């Protein structure tokens, strides 16, 4: 791993960011507050580490309900009707507090997208590496050179954390994969299994695409979103710190948010500083919009293209974009009572193909950090697309289409 250190978040920067977030929160309407009632009475506090957790309760009459081990970060539950904006400002005046802010709801990007996942109703027999052909032989495998790249690496020995809404452990592909013991930060237990809801199958689908690309990698499932695709930034941060503690090599983040809180920013930066490769979705607003964590320096930001190698209409773009990968009508594993496979579109699903490629690279170059892999993907990206030649960096395509084969060849020294 290189000796670079990624920027640490400073106390001053955090306080400035919290002040901005506090001013933004004042404009939130009552309907939004009602919809986010689960998080409206929880505040996240980081201390300098010299004060007792019990001290956090006194100004607001609340109680500490959880903490992130070794980080001096606490989740404080406040009485109903508490004014979190005012209380956060009070806490911030304390010399021992680094930041204090309201927890923020975050959603999976496909939740409000018109295109939803559809189960494949064909009764296909599962044969690992062969069937169903719609999964193993889909166009994106060949467009990105994943099939050829697997002649040089398969992800063996690489740990990949999937921070999402869980796994269907009974799904035929998942049942045969190397799944590590994970954690569920929604239900606070050691079984991060998917549950029914608007976004059921999301975590299973994402995981299947990582396995499609790097079939021999080990998956660490971390559940931070519920079945409806809703989570909190505190839970996401808990998931990232958990992945760091489990010494993963790559983290897949198939989500994004316009406003990131200090607790999430600190967690992503901690992962980067630990040498972990972080891959994130650009989001599905179809705009020149940079969501977090894709916009964070050194994070690999992924956009989506369709089968004609044109940017998907829903795919966000901007000067932060690293590469694009197939994200329209992608085939993957489903969490469904009748069908094991399905079709879905979204940047959530172009991201794991890049994550899987990062796992192939890490197998060959275990010391590569996120910026090393990002640089490699940029240098190896394909700029000759079916419709023409890109002049990079391009606002809509970043540095081009993911080229897994060339990335792996370069990592192997060939």
């Amino acid at each position: 791993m290189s000796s670079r250190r990624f920027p640490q978040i400073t106390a001053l920067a955090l306080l400035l960011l919290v002040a901005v977030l506090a001013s933004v929160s004042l404009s939130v309407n009552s309907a939004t507050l009602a919809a986010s009632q689960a998080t409206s009475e929880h505040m996240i506090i980081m201390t300098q580490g010299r004060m007792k957790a019990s001290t956090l309760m006194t100004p607001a009459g609340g109680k500490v309900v959880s903490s992130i081990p070794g980080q001096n970060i606490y989740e404080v539950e406040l009485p109903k009707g508490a004014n979190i904006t005012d209380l956060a400002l009070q806490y911030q005046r304390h010399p021992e507090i680094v930041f204090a802010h309201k927890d923020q709801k975050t959603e999976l990007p496909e939740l409000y997208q018109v295109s939803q996942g559809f189960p494949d109703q064909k009764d296909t027999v599962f044969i690992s590496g062969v069937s169903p052909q719609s999964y193993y032989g889909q166009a994106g495998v060949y467009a990105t050179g994943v099939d050829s790249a697997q002649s040089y690496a398969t992800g063996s020995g690489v740990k990949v954390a999937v921070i999402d809404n869980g796994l269907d452990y009974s799904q035929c592909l998942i049942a045969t994969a190397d799944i590590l013991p994970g954690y569920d930060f929604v239900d606070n237990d050691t079984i991060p299994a998917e549950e029914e809801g608007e976004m059921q199958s999301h975590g299973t689908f994402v995981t299947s695409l990582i396995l499609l690309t790097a079939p021999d990698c080990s998956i660490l499932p971390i559940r931070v979103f519920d079945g409806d695709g809703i989570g909190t930034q505190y839970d996401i941060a808990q998931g990232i710190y958990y992945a760091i503690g489990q010494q993963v090599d790559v983290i897949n983040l198939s989500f994004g948010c316009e406003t990131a809180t200090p607790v999430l920013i600190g967690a992503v930066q901690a992962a980067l500083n630990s040498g972990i490769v972080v891959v994130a979705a650009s989001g599905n607003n179809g705009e020149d919009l940079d969501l977090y964590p894709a916009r964070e320096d050194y994070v690999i930001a992924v956009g989506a293209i369709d089968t004609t190698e044109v940017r998907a209409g829903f795919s966000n773009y901007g000067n932060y974009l690293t590469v694009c990968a197939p994200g329209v009508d992608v085939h993957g594993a489903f969490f469904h009572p009748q069908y094991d496979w399905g079709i879905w579109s979204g940047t959530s699903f172009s991201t794991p193909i890049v994550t899987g490629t990062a796992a192939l690279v890490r197998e060959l170059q275990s010391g590569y950090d996120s910026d090393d892999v990002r640089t490699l993907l940029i240098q190896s990206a394909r700029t000759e697309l079916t419709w023409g030649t890109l002049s990079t960096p391009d606002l809509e395509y970043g540095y081009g289409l993911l080229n897994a084969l060339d990335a792996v060849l370069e990592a192997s020294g060939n």
Side-chain angles (χ1 to χ4, degrees), residues 352-411:
I353 300 173
V354 177
T355 295
T357 301
L360 301 182
V361 171
R362 280 296 296 257
E363 178 187 344
L364 298 169
Q365 295 289 345
S366 60
Y368 274 21
D369 62 19
S370 197
D371 193 41
D372 294 325
V373 176
R374 181 178 181 275
T375 299
L376 182 61
L377 295 183
I378 287 172
Q379 294 173 344
S380 59
R382 178 156 64 87
T383 57
E384 294 291 336
L385 305 183
T386 55
W387 51 264
T389 304
L390 282 177
S391 177
T392 59
D394 184 90
L395 194 67
E396 295 190 12
Y397 296 86
Y399 290 87
L401 174 60
L402 173 72
N403 189 332
L405 175 58
D406 281 6
V408 166
L409 286 174
E410 189 168 337

Short mmCIF file of all heavy atoms in Angstrom, two decimals, residues 352-411:
data_model
loop_
_atom_site.label_atom_id
_atom_site.label_comp_id
_atom_site.label_asym_id
_atom_site.label_seq_id
_atom_site.Cartn_x
_atom_site.Cartn_y
_atom_site.Cartn_z
N PRO A 352 -21.42 -2.57 -8.37
CA PRO A 352 -20.78 -3.83 -7.95
C PRO A 352 -19.92 -4.49 -9.03
O PRO A 352 -19.03 -5.27 -8.70
CB PRO A 352 -21.97 -4.72 -7.56
CG PRO A 352 -23.16 -4.10 -8.21
CD PRO A 352 -22.89 -2.63 -8.25
N ILE A 353 -20.16 -4.18 -10.30
CA ILE A 353 -19.29 -4.72 -11.35
C ILE A 353 -17.91 -4.09 -11.23
O ILE A 353 -16.88 -4.76 -11.40
CB ILE A 353 -19.91 -4.47 -12.73
CG1 ILE A 353 -21.28 -5.14 -12.84
CG2 ILE A 353 -18.98 -4.96 -13.85
CD1 ILE A 353 -22.06 -4.80 -14.10
N VAL A 354 -17.88 -2.81 -10.88
CA VAL A 354 -16.60 -2.13 -10.64
C VAL A 354 -15.98 -2.63 -9.34
O VAL A 354 -14.77 -2.84 -9.24
CB VAL A 354 -16.80 -0.60 -10.62
CG1 VAL A 354 -15.50 0.11 -10.30
CG2 VAL A 354 -17.36 -0.12 -11.95
N THR A 355 -16.82 -2.83 -8.33
CA THR A 355 -16.33 -3.38 -7.05
C THR A 355 -15.69 -4.74 -7.27
O THR A 355 -14.61 -5.03 -6.71
CB THR A 355 -17.49 -3.50 -6.05
OG1 THR A 355 -17.98 -2.19 -5.74
CG2 THR A 355 -17.05 -4.18 -4.77
N GLY A 356 -16.34 -5.59 -8.06
CA GLY A 356 -15.77 -6.90 -8.34
C GLY A 356 -14.44 -6.80 -9.06
O GLY A 356 -13.50 -7.56 -8.79
N THR A 357 -14.33 -5.85 -9.98
CA THR A 357 -13.07 -5.64 -10.69
C THR A 357 -11.99 -5.18 -9.72
O THR A 357 -10.83 -5.60 -9.81
CB THR A 357 -13.25 -4.60 -11.81
OG1 THR A 357 -14.25 -5.08 -12.72
CG2 THR A 357 -11.95 -4.37 -12.57
N ALA A 358 -12.36 -4.32 -8.77
CA ALA A 358 -11.41 -3.89 -7.74
C ALA A 358 -10.92 -5.09 -6.93
O ALA A 358 -9.74 -5.15 -6.54
CB ALA A 358 -12.06 -2.87 -6.82
N ALA A 359 -11.81 -6.06 -6.70
CA ALA A 359 -11.41 -7.27 -5.98
C ALA A 359 -10.41 -8.09 -6.80
O ALA A 359 -9.47 -8.66 -6.25
CB ALA A 359 -12.65 -8.11 -5.66
N LEU A 360 -10.60 -8.14 -8.12
CA LEU A 360 -9.64 -8.83 -8.99
C LEU A 360 -8.27 -8.16 -8.89
O LEU A 360 -7.23 -8.84 -8.80
CB LEU A 360 -10.12 -8.82 -10.44
CG LEU A 360 -11.48 -9.44 -10.75
CD1 LEU A 360 -11.76 -9.37 -12.26
CD2 LEU A 360 -11.55 -10.89 -10.28
N VAL A 361 -8.27 -6.84 -8.91
CA VAL A 361 -7.01 -6.08 -8.82
C VAL A 361 -6.35 -6.31 -7.47
O VAL A 361 -5.13 -6.52 -7.39
CB VAL A 361 -7.27 -4.59 -9.07
CG1 VAL A 361 -6.02 -3.77 -8.77
CG2 VAL A 361 -7.73 -4.36 -10.51
N ARG A 362 -7.14 -6.29 -6.39
CA ARG A 362 -6.56 -6.47 -5.06
C ARG A 362 -5.99 -7.87 -4.87
O ARG A 362 -5.05 -8.06 -4.09
CB ARG A 362 -7.61 -6.18 -3.99
CG ARG A 362 -7.83 -4.70 -3.68
CD ARG A 362 -6.60 -4.02 -3.11
NE ARG A 362 -6.21 -4.54 -1.83
CZ ARG A 362 -6.45 -3.94 -0.65
NH1 ARG A 362 -7.09 -2.79 -0.63
NH2 ARG A 362 -6.04 -4.47 0.47
N GLU A 363 -6.54 -8.86 -5.57
CA GLU A 363 -5.95 -10.20 -5.51
C GLU A 363 -4.52 -10.17 -6.05
O GLU A 363 -3.61 -10.82 -5.51
CB GLU A 363 -6.78 -11.19 -6.31
CG GLU A 363 -6.18 -12.59 -6.33
CD GLU A 363 -6.91 -13.56 -7.25
OE1 GLU A 363 -8.05 -13.26 -7.66
OE2 GLU A 363 -6.32 -14.61 -7.57
N LEU A 364 -4.31 -9.40 -7.11
CA LEU A 364 -3.00 -9.33 -7.76
C LEU A 364 -2.08 -8.32 -7.09
O LEU A 364 -0.85 -8.47 -7.10
CB LEU A 364 -3.19 -8.96 -9.23
CG LEU A 364 -4.00 -9.96 -10.06
CD1 LEU A 364 -4.36 -9.35 -11.41
CD2 LEU A 364 -3.24 -11.27 -10.24
N GLN A 365 -2.68 -7.25 -6.53
CA GLN A 365 -1.90 -6.19 -5.89
C GLN A 365 -2.55 -5.88 -4.53
O GLN A 365 -3.34 -4.96 -4.39
CB GLN A 365 -1.87 -4.93 -6.76
CG GLN A 365 -1.14 -5.10 -8.08
CD GLN A 365 0.38 -5.21 -7.88
OE1 GLN A 365 0.92 -4.91 -6.81
NE2 GLN A 365 1.08 -5.66 -8.91
N SER A 366 -2.20 -6.67 -3.53
CA SER A 366 -2.87 -6.56 -2.22
C SER A 366 -2.58 -5.23 -1.53
O SER A 366 -3.31 -4.83 -0.63
CB SER A 366 -2.45 -7.71 -1.31
OG SER A 366 -1.03 -7.69 -1.11
N GLY A 367 -1.52 -4.54 -1.93
CA GLY A 367 -1.18 -3.27 -1.31
C GLY A 367 -1.84 -2.06 -1.92
O GLY A 367 -1.66 -0.94 -1.43
N TYR A 368 -2.62 -2.24 -2.98
CA TYR A 368 -3.26 -1.11 -3.64
C TYR A 368 -4.38 -0.55 -2.77
O TYR A 368 -5.27 -1.28 -2.34
CB TYR A 368 -3.84 -1.54 -4.99
CG TYR A 368 -2.86 -1.49 -6.15
CD1 TYR A 368 -1.49 -1.52 -5.93
CD2 TYR A 368 -3.32 -1.43 -7.46
CE1 TYR A 368 -0.60 -1.49 -6.99
CE2 TYR A 368 -2.43 -1.40 -8.53
CZ TYR A 368 -1.08 -1.42 -8.28
OH TYR A 368 -0.19 -1.38 -9.33
N ASP A 369 -4.34 0.76 -2.53
CA ASP A 369 -5.43 1.40 -1.81
C ASP A 369 -6.45 1.96 -2.81
O ASP A 369 -6.36 1.69 -4.02
CB ASP A 369 -4.92 2.49 -0.86
CG ASP A 369 -4.19 3.62 -1.58
OD1 ASP A 369 -4.37 3.78 -2.80
OD2 ASP A 369 -3.43 4.35 -0.92
N SER A 370 -7.41 2.73 -2.33
CA SER A 370 -8.50 3.18 -3.19
C SER A 370 -7.99 4.07 -4.32
O SER A 370 -8.46 3.96 -5.47
CB SER A 370 -9.54 3.95 -2.36
OG SER A 370 -10.76 4.08 -3.06
N ASP A 371 -7.03 4.93 -4.04
CA ASP A 371 -6.53 5.81 -5.09
C ASP A 371 -5.69 5.04 -6.10
O ASP A 371 -5.72 5.35 -7.30
CB ASP A 371 -5.71 6.94 -4.48
CG ASP A 371 -5.42 8.05 -5.48
OD1 ASP A 371 -6.33 8.40 -6.26
OD2 ASP A 371 -4.30 8.56 -5.50
N ASP A 372 -4.95 4.03 -5.65
CA ASP A 372 -4.19 3.20 -6.58
C ASP A 372 -5.12 2.50 -7.57
O ASP A 372 -4.87 2.48 -8.78
CB ASP A 372 -3.38 2.14 -5.82
CG ASP A 372 -2.28 2.74 -4.95
OD1 ASP A 372 -1.70 3.75 -5.35
OD2 ASP A 372 -2.03 2.18 -3.87
N VAL A 373 -6.19 1.89 -7.03
CA VAL A 373 -7.14 1.17 -7.90
C VAL A 373 -7.88 2.16 -8.79
O VAL A 373 -8.09 1.90 -9.98
CB VAL A 373 -8.13 0.35 -7.05
CG1 VAL A 373 -9.17 -0.31 -7.95
CG2 VAL A 373 -7.39 -0.71 -6.24
N ARG A 374 -8.26 3.30 -8.23
CA ARG A 374 -8.95 4.31 -9.03
C ARG A 374 -8.07 4.75 -10.21
O ARG A 374 -8.55 4.85 -11.35
CB ARG A 374 -9.29 5.52 -8.14
CG ARG A 374 -10.03 6.64 -8.85
CD ARG A 374 -10.37 7.77 -7.89
NE ARG A 374 -11.11 8.83 -8.58
CZ ARG A 374 -10.56 9.82 -9.25
NH1 ARG A 374 -9.22 9.91 -9.33
NH2 ARG A 374 -11.30 10.73 -9.85
N THR A 375 -6.80 5.01 -9.94
CA THR A 375 -5.88 5.42 -11.01
C THR A 375 -5.76 4.33 -12.07
O THR A 375 -5.76 4.61 -13.28
CB THR A 375 -4.49 5.73 -10.42
OG1 THR A 375 -4.61 6.80 -9.48
CG2 THR A 375 -3.51 6.13 -11.50
N LEU A 376 -5.68 3.08 -11.63
CA LEU A 376 -5.58 1.96 -12.56
C LEU A 376 -6.83 1.85 -13.44
O LEU A 376 -6.72 1.63 -14.67
CB LEU A 376 -5.37 0.66 -11.77
CG LEU A 376 -5.20 -0.62 -12.58
CD1 LEU A 376 -3.97 -0.53 -13.48
CD2 LEU A 376 -5.09 -1.81 -11.66
N LEU A 377 -8.00 2.02 -12.84
CA LEU A 377 -9.24 1.94 -13.61
C LEU A 377 -9.34 3.09 -14.61
O LEU A 377 -9.85 2.91 -15.72
CB LEU A 377 -10.45 1.95 -12.68
CG LEU A 377 -10.61 0.75 -11.73
CD1 LEU A 377 -11.89 0.87 -10.93
CD2 LEU A 377 -10.56 -0.57 -12.49
N ILE A 378 -8.86 4.26 -14.23
CA ILE A 378 -8.85 5.41 -15.13
C ILE A 378 -7.93 5.15 -16.32
O ILE A 378 -8.29 5.37 -17.48
CB ILE A 378 -8.42 6.68 -14.38
CG1 ILE A 378 -9.54 7.16 -13.45
CG2 ILE A 378 -8.04 7.80 -15.35
CD1 ILE A 378 -9.15 8.28 -12.52
N GLN A 379 -6.75 4.65 -16.04
CA GLN A 379 -5.76 4.41 -17.10
C GLN A 379 -6.18 3.30 -18.05
O GLN A 379 -5.81 3.33 -19.24
CB GLN A 379 -4.41 4.07 -16.47
CG GLN A 379 -3.77 5.23 -15.70
CD GLN A 379 -2.53 4.83 -14.95
OE1 GLN A 379 -2.26 3.64 -14.73
NE2 GLN A 379 -1.75 5.81 -14.52
N SER A 380 -6.94 2.35 -17.56
CA SER A 380 -7.32 1.20 -18.39
C SER A 380 -8.71 1.32 -19.00
O SER A 380 -9.10 0.47 -19.82
CB SER A 380 -7.26 -0.09 -17.54
OG SER A 380 -8.14 0.01 -16.43
N ALA A 381 -9.48 2.34 -18.64
CA ALA A 381 -10.86 2.48 -19.13
C ALA A 381 -10.91 2.57 -20.65
O ALA A 381 -10.00 3.11 -21.29
CB ALA A 381 -11.52 3.70 -18.51
N ARG A 382 -11.99 2.04 -21.20
CA ARG A 382 -12.16 2.04 -22.66
C ARG A 382 -12.85 3.32 -23.10
O ARG A 382 -13.96 3.63 -22.66
CB ARG A 382 -12.97 0.81 -23.08
CG ARG A 382 -13.25 0.74 -24.57
CD ARG A 382 -13.52 -0.68 -25.03
NE ARG A 382 -14.71 -1.27 -24.47
CZ ARG A 382 -15.93 -1.14 -24.97
NH1 ARG A 382 -16.12 -0.37 -26.05
NH2 ARG A 382 -16.96 -1.75 -24.43
N THR A 383 -12.22 4.06 -23.98
CA THR A 383 -12.77 5.32 -24.48
C THR A 383 -13.37 5.18 -25.88
O THR A 383 -14.06 6.08 -26.34
CB THR A 383 -11.70 6.42 -24.49
OG1 THR A 383 -10.59 5.99 -25.27
CG2 THR A 383 -11.23 6.73 -23.07
N GLU A 384 -13.09 4.06 -26.54
CA GLU A 384 -13.71 3.77 -27.83
C GLU A 384 -15.02 3.05 -27.58
O GLU A 384 -15.05 1.84 -27.34
CB GLU A 384 -12.78 2.91 -28.70
CG GLU A 384 -11.50 3.60 -29.13
CD GLU A 384 -11.75 4.72 -30.14
OE1 GLU A 384 -12.79 4.67 -30.83
OE2 GLU A 384 -10.92 5.64 -30.20
N LEU A 385 -16.12 3.77 -27.61
CA LEU A 385 -17.43 3.19 -27.37
C LEU A 385 -18.12 2.92 -28.70
O LEU A 385 -17.66 3.36 -29.76
CB LEU A 385 -18.27 4.13 -26.50
CG LEU A 385 -17.61 4.53 -25.17
CD1 LEU A 385 -18.56 5.41 -24.36
CD2 LEU A 385 -17.19 3.32 -24.38
N THR A 386 -19.23 2.20 -28.66
CA THR A 386 -19.88 1.79 -29.90
C THR A 386 -20.33 2.97 -30.74
O THR A 386 -20.43 2.88 -31.96
CB THR A 386 -21.09 0.89 -29.60
OG1 THR A 386 -21.97 1.57 -28.72
CG2 THR A 386 -20.65 -0.42 -28.97
N TRP A 387 -20.60 4.10 -30.12
CA TRP A 387 -21.13 5.28 -30.83
C TRP A 387 -20.06 6.31 -31.15
O TRP A 387 -20.33 7.30 -31.84
CB TRP A 387 -22.22 5.93 -30.01
CG TRP A 387 -21.83 6.20 -28.59
CD1 TRP A 387 -22.09 5.42 -27.50
CD2 TRP A 387 -21.09 7.33 -28.10
NE1 TRP A 387 -21.56 5.98 -26.36
CE2 TRP A 387 -20.94 7.16 -26.70
CE3 TRP A 387 -20.54 8.46 -28.70
CZ2 TRP A 387 -20.25 8.07 -25.90
CZ3 TRP A 387 -19.86 9.37 -27.90
CH2 TRP A 387 -19.72 9.18 -26.52
N GLY A 388 -18.83 6.12 -30.64
CA GLY A 388 -17.78 7.10 -30.93
C GLY A 388 -16.67 7.07 -29.89
O GLY A 388 -16.61 6.18 -29.04
N THR A 389 -15.80 8.07 -29.95
CA THR A 389 -14.63 8.14 -29.07
C THR A 389 -14.80 9.24 -28.04
O THR A 389 -15.18 10.37 -28.37
CB THR A 389 -13.35 8.42 -29.89
OG1 THR A 389 -13.21 7.41 -30.89
CG2 THR A 389 -12.13 8.43 -28.99
N LEU A 390 -14.51 8.91 -26.79
CA LEU A 390 -14.59 9.87 -25.70
C LEU A 390 -13.32 10.70 -25.61
O LEU A 390 -12.21 10.19 -25.82
CB LEU A 390 -14.76 9.14 -24.36
CG LEU A 390 -16.13 8.59 -23.99
CD1 LEU A 390 -16.03 7.87 -22.65
CD2 LEU A 390 -17.16 9.70 -23.89
N SER A 391 -13.48 11.96 -25.29
CA SER A 391 -12.36 12.81 -24.91
C SER A 391 -12.46 12.97 -23.40
O SER A 391 -13.37 13.62 -22.89
CB SER A 391 -12.44 14.17 -25.61
OG SER A 391 -11.39 15.01 -25.18
N THR A 392 -11.55 12.37 -22.68
CA THR A 392 -11.68 12.28 -21.22
C THR A 392 -10.83 13.33 -20.50
O THR A 392 -9.81 13.78 -21.04
CB THR A 392 -11.28 10.88 -20.74
OG1 THR A 392 -9.92 10.62 -21.13
CG2 THR A 392 -12.18 9.83 -21.34
N PRO A 393 -11.24 13.69 -19.28
CA PRO A 393 -12.44 13.21 -18.60
C PRO A 393 -13.71 13.84 -19.17
O PRO A 393 -13.74 15.01 -19.51
CB PRO A 393 -12.23 13.67 -17.15
CG PRO A 393 -11.37 14.88 -17.27
CD PRO A 393 -10.46 14.63 -18.43
N ASP A 394 -14.73 13.01 -19.28
CA ASP A 394 -16.01 13.43 -19.85
C ASP A 394 -17.02 13.60 -18.72
O ASP A 394 -17.07 12.81 -17.78
CB ASP A 394 -16.50 12.38 -20.85
CG ASP A 394 -17.78 12.80 -21.54
OD1 ASP A 394 -17.68 13.45 -22.60
OD2 ASP A 394 -18.86 12.49 -21.02
N LEU A 395 -17.84 14.65 -18.81
CA LEU A 395 -18.80 14.94 -17.75
C LEU A 395 -19.77 13.79 -17.53
O LEU A 395 -20.16 13.50 -16.39
CB LEU A 395 -19.57 16.22 -18.09
CG LEU A 395 -20.38 16.86 -16.96
CD1 LEU A 395 -19.46 17.40 -15.88
CD2 LEU A 395 -21.27 17.98 -17.50
N GLU A 396 -20.18 13.11 -18.61
CA GLU A 396 -21.21 12.07 -18.50
C GLU A 396 -20.64 10.66 -18.35
O GLU A 396 -21.33 9.77 -17.87
CB GLU A 396 -22.12 12.11 -19.73
CG GLU A 396 -22.93 13.40 -19.84
CD GLU A 396 -24.00 13.31 -20.91
OE1 GLU A 396 -24.26 12.20 -21.41
OE2 GLU A 396 -24.58 14.35 -21.26
N TYR A 397 -19.39 10.45 -18.74
CA TYR A 397 -18.83 9.11 -18.74
C TYR A 397 -17.56 8.98 -17.90
O TYR A 397 -16.98 7.90 -17.83
CB TYR A 397 -18.52 8.67 -20.18
CG TYR A 397 -19.74 8.56 -21.06
CD1 TYR A 397 -20.23 9.67 -21.74
CD2 TYR A 397 -20.42 7.35 -21.20
CE1 TYR A 397 -21.36 9.58 -22.55
CE2 TYR A 397 -21.55 7.25 -22.00
CZ TYR A 397 -22.01 8.37 -22.67
OH TYR A 397 -23.13 8.28 -23.47
N GLY A 398 -17.13 10.06 -17.28
CA GLY A 398 -15.88 10.00 -16.53
C GLY A 398 -14.71 9.73 -17.45
O GLY A 398 -14.53 10.39 -18.47
N TYR A 399 -13.94 8.70 -17.12
CA TYR A 399 -12.78 8.35 -17.93
C TYR A 399 -13.07 7.19 -18.89
O TYR A 399 -12.16 6.67 -19.51
CB TYR A 399 -11.59 8.02 -17.03
CG TYR A 399 -11.05 9.26 -16.34
CD1 TYR A 399 -11.59 9.68 -15.12
CD2 TYR A 399 -10.06 10.04 -16.93
CE1 TYR A 399 -11.13 10.83 -14.50
CE2 TYR A 399 -9.60 11.19 -16.31
CZ TYR A 399 -10.14 11.58 -15.10
OH TYR A 399 -9.68 12.72 -14.49
N GLY A 400 -14.35 6.82 -18.99
CA GLY A 400 -14.72 5.81 -19.96
C GLY A 400 -15.41 4.61 -19.34
O GLY A 400 -15.83 4.62 -18.18
N LEU A 401 -15.53 3.58 -20.16
CA LEU A 401 -16.19 2.34 -19.75
C LEU A 401 -15.20 1.43 -19.04
O LEU A 401 -14.05 1.26 -19.49
CB LEU A 401 -16.76 1.63 -20.99
CG LEU A 401 -17.37 0.24 -20.80
CD1 LEU A 401 -18.53 0.27 -19.81
CD2 LEU A 401 -17.81 -0.32 -22.14
N LEU A 402 -15.60 0.86 -17.94
CA LEU A 402 -14.78 -0.09 -17.20
C LEU A 402 -14.18 -1.13 -18.14
O LEU A 402 -14.89 -1.73 -18.94
CB LEU A 402 -15.62 -0.79 -16.14
CG LEU A 402 -14.94 -1.93 -15.38
CD1 LEU A 402 -13.89 -1.38 -14.42
CD2 LEU A 402 -15.98 -2.78 -14.65
N ASN A 403 -12.88 -1.34 -18.03
CA ASN A 403 -12.19 -2.36 -18.82
C ASN A 403 -11.48 -3.29 -17.84
O ASN A 403 -10.32 -3.07 -17.48
CB ASN A 403 -11.19 -1.71 -19.78
CG ASN A 403 -10.61 -2.70 -20.78
OD1 ASN A 403 -10.50 -3.90 -20.49
ND2 ASN A 403 -10.21 -2.21 -21.93
N ALA A 404 -12.20 -4.31 -17.38
CA ALA A 404 -11.68 -5.21 -16.35
C ALA A 404 -10.45 -5.95 -16.83
O ALA A 404 -9.49 -6.15 -16.07
CB ALA A 404 -12.76 -6.19 -15.92
N LEU A 405 -10.45 -6.36 -18.09
CA LEU A 405 -9.31 -7.13 -18.61
C LEU A 405 -8.03 -6.30 -18.58
O LEU A 405 -7.00 -6.75 -18.06
CB LEU A 405 -9.59 -7.61 -20.02
CG LEU A 405 -8.42 -8.32 -20.72
CD1 LEU A 405 -7.96 -9.53 -19.92
CD2 LEU A 405 -8.79 -8.70 -22.15
N ASP A 406 -8.07 -5.10 -19.13
CA ASP A 406 -6.87 -4.27 -19.15
C ASP A 406 -6.42 -3.88 -17.75
O ASP A 406 -5.22 -3.79 -17.47
CB ASP A 406 -7.10 -3.02 -20.00
CG ASP A 406 -6.99 -3.30 -21.49
OD1 ASP A 406 -6.86 -4.49 -21.86
OD2 ASP A 406 -7.07 -2.34 -22.28
N ALA A 407 -7.38 -3.67 -16.84
CA ALA A 407 -7.03 -3.35 -15.46
C ALA A 407 -6.28 -4.50 -14.81
O ALA A 407 -5.26 -4.29 -14.13
CB ALA A 407 -8.29 -3.01 -14.67
N VAL A 408 -6.77 -5.69 -15.03
CA VAL A 408 -6.14 -6.88 -14.44
C VAL A 408 -4.79 -7.16 -15.08
O VAL A 408 -3.81 -7.50 -14.40
CB VAL A 408 -7.09 -8.09 -14.57
CG1 VAL A 408 -6.35 -9.40 -14.29
CG2 VAL A 408 -8.27 -7.94 -13.62
N LEU A 409 -4.71 -6.97 -16.39
CA LEU A 409 -3.42 -7.17 -17.07
C LEU A 409 -2.38 -6.20 -16.54
O LEU A 409 -1.22 -6.58 -16.31
CB LEU A 409 -3.60 -7.01 -18.59
CG LEU A 409 -4.30 -8.13 -19.33
CD1 LEU A 409 -4.54 -7.75 -20.79
CD2 LEU A 409 -3.50 -9.43 -19.22
N GLU A 410 -2.78 -4.96 -16.35
CA GLU A 410 -1.84 -3.96 -15.84
C GLU A 410 -1.44 -4.28 -14.41
O GLU A 410 -0.27 -4.14 -14.03
CB GLU A 410 -2.44 -2.56 -15.93
CG GLU A 410 -1.45 -1.45 -15.64
CD GLU A 410 -1.98 -0.08 -15.99
OE1 GLU A 410 -2.89 0.01 -16.84
OE2 GLU A 410 -1.47 0.90 -15.43
N ALA A 411 -2.40 -4.74 -13.61
CA ALA A 411 -2.10 -5.10 -12.22
C ALA A 411 -1.17 -6.30 -12.13
O ALA A 411 -0.37 -6.42 -11.19
CB ALA A 411 -3.39 -5.38 -11.46
#
